[in-house]
Amino acid sequence: MKKTLNFIILFSLIGLTIWIFVSNNDFDNFSELIKSTNTLFLLIAFLCMVLYWFFEAYILHKMKKTLNINTSYGSSLKLCMIGQYYSAITPFSTGGQPVQIYSMVNDGVPIGTASSLFVNRFLIYQFVMTFYALFMFIIKFNLLYSEAQLALPFIVIGCFINMVILVGIFLFLLNEKFVKAFLGKSIRILHKLKIVKNIEKSEEKLNNTLLDYKISVEEMKKDKKTTVHLIFISIIQLTISFSITYFIYLALGFEMGHFLDIIAIQSLHYMAVSFMPTPGTAGASEGGFYMLFKVIFPKKILSFALLLWRFIDYYLRVLITGLVTLVDFICRKKKVRTN
């Protein structure tokens, strides 16, 4: 039933995307747009994506050192790429971290240590991303209200969901018994609704997850200097990632748009589609881009800009990280055979 629902949502969103393209655009001018596009700025947009990976690898490598895991930066970069690939092809980006933990365990890292590392990374990312988007929402609310009212409910829902997750984590740290009781009742309600099949397994998984969060937060408290440093690096990393759209804007020959406007809208676009249950937020990303970036791009250019952004930010990312993941899989298979 769950898989069927996911497929229905996925194909509905893809259908919406196709309808948006077909009903609003003249494809005759695409060849002219391709010829006039500045390839240097497109290359910079691509390099922004690569830099995002290098910053992610740096964060993972720094966290490994904190947990006394002695590996090279190259192995952290590979771990980052594997996580990026599985996050891109699974709903809610849920596949990345479990595969990364599995990869570290295969390399001899205890499962508790590996889990702790990625819980720490999730906490820092969740904290930075939520407050980054909320800050942008506040300073650019007038622009959104006047130019993109249709997208506002999705942005508010996305921000609300991410804030609830963050608040839930901090509430757990303040009152563990209350949160456990609340989540336990939620599991039983979901069981009655036929969403959760096995109550005992779900509660055991929940308790293990909450324990991992508690241990990870305690570790972060011990090394506050590193935590603050990684928060700062994460802010730079997200800004670089959101800059991809800005360089696409420049590649199309525009100069009047403000850098802050574009990264603000891109961060809010991320929040608006983050709760969509499709791999790579398929359909929702395209529709959200069309609704939000009509503020920045002229209508006749908007779809072409969307195609460039989606190609660099998603399809190219899946292709490159997928190749790295495939090579890593082949190398691991060969290593097992030789041993």
Side-chain angles (χ1 to χ4, degrees), residues 137 143-145 147-152 154-155 261-262 264-273 284-297 302:
F137 182 75
L143 175 67
L144 293 167
Y145 186 77
E147 302 290 342
Q149 283 192 24
L150 188 63
L152 271 177
F154 298 100
I155 294 171
D261 285 345
I262 293 174
I265 292 171
Q266 189 60 70
S267 67
L268 294 171
H269 170 265
Y270 175 88
M271 295 299 275
V273 304
S285 284
E286 291 83 354
F289 190 99
Y290 196 88
M291 284 192 292
L292 281 166
F293 279 98
K294 65 181 181 180
V295 178
I296 303 295
F297 294 98
L302 184 54

Side-chain angles (χ1 to χ4, degrees), residues 303-316:
S303 291
F304 186 64
L306 166 56
L307 287 173
L308 290 177
W309 168 75
R310 193 61 168 157
F311 176 74
I312 292 173
D313 190 66
Y314 184 69
Y315 296 109
L316 204 55

Side-chain angles (χ1 to χ4, degrees), residues 13-291:
L13 290 171
I14 291 172
L16 174 63
T17 304
I18 294 169
W19 178 80
I20 288 171
F21 277 120
V22 172
S23 62
N24 291 282
N25 298 285
D26 180 9
F27 291 93
D28 293 338
N29 67 338
F30 267 41
S31 58
E32 292 178 13
L33 289 171
I34 291 169
K35 289 176 185 177
S36 62
T37 300
N38 188 313
T39 53
L40 176 61
F41 284 123
L42 281 185
L43 179 61
I44 296 172
F46 170 73
L47 288 175
C48 283
M49 180 179 67
V50 175
L51 276 173
Y52 177 89
W53 295 336
F54 278 98
F55 273 99
E56 183 66 20
Y58 171 81
I59 292 167
L60 294 178
H61 193 60
K62 189 77 174 175
M63 285 182 164
K64 283 181 180 180
K65 284 187 175 181
T66 304
L67 295 171
N68 298 314
I69 303 170
N70 296 315
T71 57
S72 66
Y73 175 81
S75 69
S76 297
L77 182 59
K78 181 187 71 176
L79 190 66
C80 157
M81 302 284 269
I82 292 170
Q84 287 282 299
Y85 174 70
Y86 281 100
S87 292
I89 64 171
T90 53
F92 300 114
S93 300
T94 51
Q97 290 195 349
V99 174
Q100 287 173 311
I101 292 170
Y102 177 78
S103 179
M104 286 184 70
V105 170
N106 272 350
D107 290 333
V109 178
I111 188 168
T113 305
S115 298
S116 178
L117 186 150
F118 286 104
V119 169
N120 283 346
R121 178 57 188 132
F122 171 77
L123 290 173
I124 289 173
Y125 182 84
Q126 189 69 23
F127 176 82
V128 173
M129 184 66 246
T130 302
F131 282 101
Y132 192 111
L134 285 173
F135 174 76
M136 293 299 183
F137 182 75
I138 292 167
I139 65 171
K140 294 298 176 183
F141 178 78
N142 289 336
L143 175 67
L144 293 167
Y145 186 77
S146 60
E147 302 290 342
Q149 283 192 24
L150 188 63
L152 271 177
F154 298 100
I155 294 171
V156 171
I157 292 169
C159 289
F160 176 75
I161 290 172
N162 282 278
M163 181 56 77
V164 165
I165 293 169
L166 200 60
V167 170
I169 292 167
F170 284 109
L171 277 177
F172 168 70
L173 299 173
L174 294 172
N175 195 327
E176 184 179 339
K177 289 182 179 178
F178 169 77
V179 173
K180 279 187 175 181
F182 174 77
L183 293 175
K185 287 180 180 178
S186 299
I187 288 171
R188 290 182 184 90
I189 291 169
L190 292 172
H191 176 68
K192 289 179 180 178
L193 296 172
K194 308 294 182 182
I195 296 172
V196 171
K197 294 181 180 179
N198 192 312
I199 293 178
E200 291 181 1
K201 281 186 178 180
S202 297
E203 287 182 340
E204 184 182 354
K205 188 177 179 180
L206 173 66
N207 290 331
N208 290 336
T209 301
L210 292 175
L211 181 61
D212 285 339
Y213 278 122
K214 190 174 182 180
I215 293 169
S216 296
V217 171
E218 290 301 320
E219 288 174 354
M220 288 168 68
K221 284 181 181 178
K222 289 177 185 176
D223 196 350
K224 293 177 183 177
K225 187 178 177 181
T226 299
T227 301
V228 172
H229 173 68
L230 293 181
I231 286 172
F232 178 72
I233 294 297
S234 294
I235 293 170
I236 296 172
Q237 179 195 27
L238 287 174
T239 303
I240 289 170
S241 177
F242 297 144
S243 299
I244 292 173
T245 312
Y246 177 70
F247 288 108
I248 288 171
Y249 178 80
L250 295 180
L252 293 174
F254 301 107
E255 296 178 353
M256 298 300 290
H258 293 290
F259 175 72
L260 185 61
D261 285 345
I262 293 174
I263 64 167
I265 292 171
Q266 189 60 70
S267 67
L268 294 171
H269 170 265
Y270 175 88
M271 295 299 275
V273 304
S274 62
F275 61 92
M276 294 298 178
T278 57
T281 59
S285 284
E286 291 83 354
F289 190 99
Y290 196 88
M291 284 192 292

